[in-house]
Amino acid sequence: MVSSSETEEKVESKAIAEHVEVSTNEVDTAATLFADGSGELDPQEAACIRKKIDRHILPLMCILYWVQFMDKTTLGNSAILGIRTTTHLTTNQYNWLGTIFYLSYLLFEYPQNLALQRFPVGKWMSCNILIWSIALCCHAACTNFAGLFVVRLILGMCEGSITAGFMIVSSMFYTRNEQTLRVGYWFLMNGAAQIISGFISFGTLHIHTLGFEPWQWLMIITGTITFILAICFFLFFPDSPTNAWFLTPEERVLAVMRIKENQTGVENKHFKKEQMIEALVDPKTWMFALFSAIDNVPNSLTNQQTLIIASFGFTDLQTTLLSCVNGIVEILTIWSGVKLAARYPNSRAYVAIIYFIPNIVGVIVVNVLPWSDSVGLLIGVYMTGVGTTGFVLSLSWVSSVTAGHTKRITTNAIMLSAYCIGNAAGPFMWQEKYKPRNHIPWAVIGICYACCMLLLWLIRLHLNRQNKLRDTQPHDDQYDNAYIEHINNDGTVDEVKVQKEFLDLTDLQNLDFRYVL
């Protein structure tokens, strides 16, 4: 018969064996803020915190994404404002200006992600915005291909920090379901940018100044807007919920409690080589990357859209206004798509696949209608903007299914690098020999959309299989008793327990993690 004292000794020795000390460098930044935290968050408190976060960061994110896309597409708008004539660009040189932006984006994407991990996210993005605003204004001083090549390279280098930074910020402040909506909200500003830039281009066509072309005014106007935004971002955009200026110390704890369900933590400023390696060998990383690359080959339409619409027989003034319609299509489809995905659990892949169908129909319409049917051809072009929803959903999806801060920034870098590869390759489809019908580029675009639908289905199949495997496994208690040292105000040191959600574990290390579908 075993005595009670012996039983207590066994329980105590087991507890000591399970007790794991963890360095503060290894855990999430929220661990010290929320160490040993417990209890339930009141739903009303959570809603109030979410609204406060929305009020302070979502408007800035939306405005910046609008400005980013507007700046990126100034080249396309400038095409009908005289940039090709003034700077003596050939068709091939014009295509290269679209490509070099994304090659620069690709080259600096991983360094940008490392910097976003190492430095305060908001401040780092602000510095990049400031540099690209200056580079954008410098477009107006360029008189040849070489000058434009340099400023486009700088533009790509700086803008590579924005989408990656927004993906990190969205995962810091919002739950997984909220991320789908918020990513959709700031991404649909691409559509708003097409509308606003269309009207700005329309306005600049009416500016007549000696020695200064309309396209140069477009660069100055958009560059000035970006410069003002850089200052606002530096002053008002937070770096993390753990130090957000608009939250009280108590609200910061509640903000962290809100995202506890994500099991991805907030951030960790220390690079972990093992997490980078895990990202490189994780199949889903490359499935998302392949989707990103293929989906963005058709994105070359951004710089070609005004030229394509003009080729249907519309005047320059009509073309600038008709280009705005595509922005309206993008806003409506992204908004409705993310709403559907957020409303119906585990529906991301299915919603994205459905939204690719009009794209394929649009490609068929553009290829088979007679060239005289300019209205029908125009509608076909507009239909190819519906599938943008698929890429938006993939951005929020990859953030939701990747845990571990270094792994997440590595995965984001790979996916956005693939995005650059697709965008860099796309412009070279549009050769002079294929005009005016461009049957070959449109056929490539149609094939890309079909491949995207297949990839989304395969990603869902893979993640669903991983969830089912985890459901059959016993509970993993390896990380249930992790402790860090906490220095009190009086200088004494205590050991406090860290919850698993804030240990900066990857989705493969944390067997309690379930992938959203």
Side-chain angles (χ1 to χ4, degrees):
M1 184 174 178
V2 181
S3 66
S4 60
S5 60
E6 289 176 335
T7 303
E8 289 174 1
E9 287 177 4
K10 287 182 179 179
V11 171
E12 185 179 351
S13 63
K14 183 180 179 182
I16 293 172
E18 292 176 346
H19 182 103
V20 178
E21 290 191 7
V22 184
S23 167
T24 53
N25 290 342
E26 294 295 316
V27 299
D28 194 272
T29 53
T32 53
L33 180 72
F34 194 53
D36 212 17
S38 58
E40 295 295 324
L41 178 63
D42 180 72
Q44 288 187 335
E45 283 184 316
C48 289
I49 294 295
R50 188 198 68 233
K51 289 177 183 177
K52 195 169 186 180
I53 291 170
D54 280 344
R55 284 197 306 270
H56 286 86
I57 73 170
L58 204 54
L60 280 172
M61 293 174 78
C62 289
I63 293 171
L64 178 59
Y65 222 74
W66 151 52
V67 170
Q68 181 212 29
F69 192 82
M70 180 177 68
D71 294 349
K72 187 165 54 180
T73 56
T74 48
L75 180 66
N77 290 320
S78 297
I80 59 167
L81 297 178
I83 190 173
R84 296 181 67 177
T85 304
T86 305
T87 56
H88 314 291
L89 296 177
T90 65
T91 299
N92 200 41
Q93 286 175 332
Y94 178 77
N95 289 340
W96 260 109
L97 292 179
T99 296
I100 190 56
F101 174 90
Y102 289 105
L103 287 179
S104 175
Y105 198 135
L106 171 64
L107 181 63
F108 288 96
E109 187 55 39
Y110 195 61
Q112 285 281 18
N113 272 269
L114 290 177
L116 286 166
Q117 180 181 24
R118 178 67 181 83
F119 303 112
V121 176
K123 301 300 181 290
W124 181 256
M125 285 195 290
S126 301
C127 293
N128 279 275
I129 300 166
L130 182 65
I131 295 170
W132 108 50
S133 69
I134 296 170
L136 191 61
C137 288
C138 288
H139 278 62
C142 298
T143 57
N144 53 38
F145 170 71
L148 289 171
F149 187 92
V150 172
V151 290
R152 294 290 295 177
L153 186 147
I154 296 172
L155 211 61
M157 175 185 71
C158 295
E159 291 199 26
S161 67
I162 304 306
T163 301
F166 277 14
M167 290 169 71
I168 292 171
V169 169
S170 296
S171 65
M172 283 182 182
F173 283 93
Y174 294 108
T175 65
R176 295 202 280 190
N177 199 46
E178 291 167 353
Q179 286 174 40
T180 301
L181 285 172
R182 271 59 185 186
V183 171
Y185 291 157
W186 51 257
F187 204 97
L188 64 78
M189 295 306 292
N190 284 358
Q194 293 182 56
I195 298 169
I196 296 169
S197 61
F199 281 112
I200 293 175
S201 299
F202 180 80
T204 56
L205 271 172
H206 294 81
I207 299 176
H208 303 289
T209 51
L210 187 64
F212 215 70
E213 300 286 335
W215 69 268
Q216 292 173 304
W217 278 114
L218 177 66
M219 298 299 182
I220 294 296
I221 293 169
T222 53
T224 303
I225 293 171
T226 307
F227 183 84
I228 295 170
L229 184 59
I231 305 301
C232 295
F233 232 76
F234 185 85
L235 294 175
F236 302 115
F237 197 79
D239 299 307
S240 163
T242 62
N243 59 12
W245 63 270
F246 56 85
L247 297 175
T248 65
E250 294 76 18
E251 288 173 334
R252 292 170 188 173
V253 175
L254 297 177
V256 172
M257 287 180 67
R258 260 180 28 85
I259 64 164
K260 187 177 159 186
E261 66 181 70
N262 294 352
Q263 300 198 49
T264 57
V266 177
E267 64 176 342
N268 185 295
K269 292 297 184 184
H270 298 272
F271 179 81
K272 297 181 179 180
K273 182 181 178 181
E274 66 278 8
Q275 289 196 11
M276 182 193 74
I277 295 171
E278 183 178 309
L280 294 174
V281 299
D282 192 337
K284 74 175 184 295
T285 301
W286 299 105
M287 294 169 78
F288 275 110
L290 184 59
F291 168 81
S292 182
I294 294 174
D295 186 43
N296 282 285
V297 169
N299 207 32
S300 56
L301 282 168
T302 302
N303 284 332
Q304 298 293 329
Q305 181 177 268
T306 54
L307 297 176
I308 292 171
I309 293 175
S311 71
F312 296 158
F314 297 103
T315 66
D316 288 349
L317 287 175
Q318 289 172 331
T319 298
T320 56
L321 294 177
L322 289 172
S323 298
C324 299
V325 178
N326 207 51
I328 297 172
V329 171
E330 193 167 318
I331 290 172
L332 293 176
T333 54
I334 292 176
W335 181 82
S336 60
V338 297
K339 282 287 187 181
L340 284 171
R343 179 172 182 145
Y344 298 101
N346 296 323
S347 63
R348 289 166 174 79
Y350 296 144
V351 171
I353 288 170
I354 290 170
Y355 273 67
F356 270 116
I357 295 173
N359 287 46
I360 293 178
V361 174
V363 169
I364 294 171
V365 166
V366 172
N367 272 283
V368 302
L369 281 184
W371 193 243
S372 58
D373 189 356
S374 57
V375 175
L377 293 169
L378 189 62
I379 292 172
V381 172
Y382 290 152
M383 291 179 72
T384 61
V386 176
T388 306
T389 306
F391 184 67
V392 175
L393 289 173
S394 74
L395 288 178
S396 63
W397 196 7
V398 74
S399 291
S400 300
V401 298
T402 309
H405 198 69
T406 301
K407 182 177 182 180
R408 193 156 63 234
I409 65 112
T410 303
T411 303
N412 289 349
I414 292 172
M415 185 173 182
L416 291 174
S417 294
Y419 158 86
C420 297
I421 292 171
N423 276 291
F428 291 101
M429 298 187 301
W430 306 93
Q431 298 293 325
E432 198 70 37
K433 60 184 177 182
Y434 299 136
K435 292 180 179 181
R437 292 309 302 255
N438 291 308
H439 285 304
I440 299 299
W442 283 113
V444 172
I445 287 171
I447 292 169
C448 287
Y449 288 144
C451 290
C452 286
M453 296 168 74
L454 177 62
L455 276 168
L456 287 167
W457 179 76
L458 290 174
I459 291 171
R460 192 185 194 280
L461 201 65
H462 170 71
L463 296 179
N464 191 37
R465 183 172 178 272
Q466 294 302 311
N467 284 343
K468 289 180 178 178
L469 286 174
R470 293 186 178 203
D471 289 341
T472 63
Q473 295 175 350
H475 173 68
D476 180 16
D477 59 1
Q478 180 182 356
Y479 302 102
D480 287 352
N481 289 292
Y483 291 78
I484 60 171
E485 290 186 348
H486 183 263
I487 302 175
N488 301 313
N489 293 332
D490 59 4
T492 59
V493 178
D494 290 334
E495 282 194 337
V496 292
K497 185 177 179 180
V498 181
Q499 298 184 43
K500 184 183 288 187
E501 294 87 352
F502 303 110
L503 287 174
D504 194 37
L505 301 176
T506 68
D507 51 283
L508 296 185
Q509 290 174 322
N510 182 5
L511 297 181
D512 290 338
F513 188 95
R514 292 297 182 272
Y515 299 106
V516 293
L517 307 175

